[in-house]
Amino acid sequence: VWNASRFIMMNMEKNVVEEPEDFVLKPADRWILSKVNSLTKEMTENMDKFELGIAVQKVHDFIWDEFCDWYIEMVKPRLYSTDDAVSQNAALWTLKTVLIDALKLLHPYMPFITEEIFCNLQDEEASIMVSAWPEYKDELHFAAEEAQMESLMDAVRAIRNRRAEMNVPPARRTTLYIVTEKQDLFSAGIPFITRLAYAERVVVLGEEPEGHGSMVSCVTHDAKLFLPMEELVDVDKELARIAKEKEKVQKGLAGVQAKLGNPGFAAKAPEQVVRAEQEKAEKYAALLRQLEESEARLKDL
């Protein structure tokens, strides 16, 4: 909370933040405003029922995940850009507005730090302790923008997970092909996806790209995502790693098979011990097949 607040106030120091016209707000702005609006309603209901643990978990998750991990990262390009002062102001106003509401919701649990941040963030109210508790507003419920942003976030999560599975470092940026029927939505989200999905460039298409059969792919509800394998890994180094791993697995498999093939072991060992060795042999064999499939895919590139 402290670090996020310092980041926001640092950017506000250089600008006069004014409430923007509704049409200036981006889908990401409407999404986070809608999320904190829903959080206000849910937390108020929880606290009225003395469900204090549930309430604090909700505000924690909102600040940590949706506000800091997603929204702040989404708007950084707008904050740093000098080309569109109107969009920059809308981002700053949204950051300030959402943070103030989040501080008020968090205040019963963390009174001192929220008071300190609140008094430095704004001049309209003297203290968070006597400020008005946030209220749910129907006009701040943006269901369409929430659905749009969830589609984009699902795509980013899928790419991040796929890269993590392959141990691809964030510094290695690649081309990302997005095949979807919602081309307008994903085209508008290219700047956001490029930044958060570690892409060098993003191409939105209506059909699978040429050579997609040899690409790494993942699927979300609204899109198919393709990454060129040769851009994700150093093929020669990966083949060398796989060869070394195969040798290790083959030795392990040969040792287990030798033990199972020994008549004395099968006759004297307890049944559960024999079964454990058989399961180990199956795991070795499955891992070896996976390595061979990966090796074959890389050699076809």
Side-chain angles (χ1 to χ4, degrees):
V1 174
W2 181 254
N3 286 337
S5 301
R6 286 181 60 198
F7 172 78
I8 293 167
M9 287 187 284
M10 178 182 67
N11 282 278
M12 286 174 56
E13 286 175 359
K14 308 170 187 177
N15 301 275
V16 177
V17 181
E18 299 177 345
E19 183 173 356
E21 298 289 339
D22 286 344
F23 68 87
V24 173
L25 294 174
K26 304 286 187 182
D29 303 331
R30 295 177 184 273
W31 165 74
I32 199 67
L33 288 167
S34 185
K35 296 298 285 188
V36 77
N37 191 44
S38 297
L39 175 67
T40 295
K41 181 179 181 180
E42 293 175 13
M43 277 194 67
T44 301
E45 292 173 353
N46 291 141
M47 296 184 79
D48 286 344
K49 299 175 183 177
F50 294 96
E51 297 170 341
L52 305 183
I54 296 174
V56 74
Q57 186 63 52
K58 287 180 178 178
V59 69
H60 169 276
D61 292 347
F62 170 79
I63 293 173
W64 185 276
D65 185 26
E66 292 166 330
F67 189 55
C68 293
D69 277 0
W70 287 104
Y71 183 69
I72 289 179
E73 292 301 319
M74 290 178 197
V75 299
K76 279 182 179 178
R78 292 163 63 190
L79 298 180
Y80 301 150
S81 174
T82 58
D83 299 332
D84 191 344
V86 174
S87 178
Q88 183 184 66
N89 177 74
L92 284 170
W93 178 84
T94 305
L95 285 166
K96 178 183 177 181
T97 301
V98 173
L99 179 58
I100 287 174
D101 280 354
L103 290 173
K104 290 180 178 181
L105 295 172
L106 187 61
H107 180 66
Y109 302 95
M110 297 176 64
F112 301 109
I113 190 172
T114 51
E115 170 73 0
E116 179 70 17
I117 295 170
F118 184 82
C119 291
N120 283 279
L121 182 64
Q122 52 79 52
D123 300 320
E124 291 81 9
E125 298 178 274
S127 169
I128 197 172
M129 291 184 286
V130 294
S131 64
W133 182 258
E135 294 183 2
Y136 177 82
K137 300 175 182 177
D138 288 333
E139 62 269 25
L140 290 179
H141 178 62
F142 301 114
E145 284 79 357
E146 284 195 37
Q148 291 171 5
M149 292 308 300
E150 286 299 329
S151 291
L152 298 179
M153 291 161 63
D154 283 346
V156 171
R157 291 189 192 99
I159 292 298
R160 284 178 169 180
N161 291 339
R162 197 72 179 91
R163 288 171 61 101
E165 290 170 3
M166 300 178 66
N167 297 314
V168 181
R172 185 181 289 275
R173 295 186 172 271
T174 67
T175 302
L176 169 60
Y177 296 98
I178 302 177
V179 180
T180 178
E181 294 180 357
K182 300 181 178 180
Q183 294 183 47
D184 290 343
L185 168 63
F186 282 89
S187 293
I190 284 178
F192 155 59
I193 297 171
T194 301
R195 176 180 173 81
L196 297 185
Y198 314 119
E200 183 68 30
R201 67 187 183 104
V202 176
V203 182
V204 179
L205 302 168
E207 57 185 20
E208 284 82 359
E210 184 177 350
H212 67 273
S214 61
M215 294 183 184
V216 175
S217 64
C218 45
V219 180
T220 69
H221 181 72
D222 291 319
K224 292 182 181 179
L225 312 165
F226 296 92
L227 299 166
M229 176 69 83
E230 65 272 16
E231 295 183 22
L232 288 171
V233 296
D234 185 314
V235 176
D236 292 337
K237 287 184 179 179
E238 187 64 11
L239 284 172
R241 185 195 69 78
I242 290 175
K244 187 175 181 180
E245 188 69 16
K246 274 179 60 180
E247 183 179 356
K248 180 180 177 181
V249 172
Q250 286 168 341
K251 286 182 180 179
L253 179 59
V256 175
Q257 288 175 335
K259 185 182 290 187
L260 290 171
N262 185 340
F265 172 78
K268 297 177 182 178
E271 182 180 350
Q272 62 269 28
V273 174
V274 175
R275 190 182 308 114
E277 291 299 316
Q278 290 172 338
E279 291 176 356
K280 190 185 294 184
E282 291 172 1
K283 290 179 180 177
Y284 273 129
L287 180 55
L288 185 59
R289 285 194 299 272
Q290 291 176 4
L291 291 169
E292 289 173 343
E293 290 172 1
S294 297
E295 184 179 50
R297 283 198 300 270
L298 287 172
K299 287 181 177 179
D300 288 339
L301 293 177

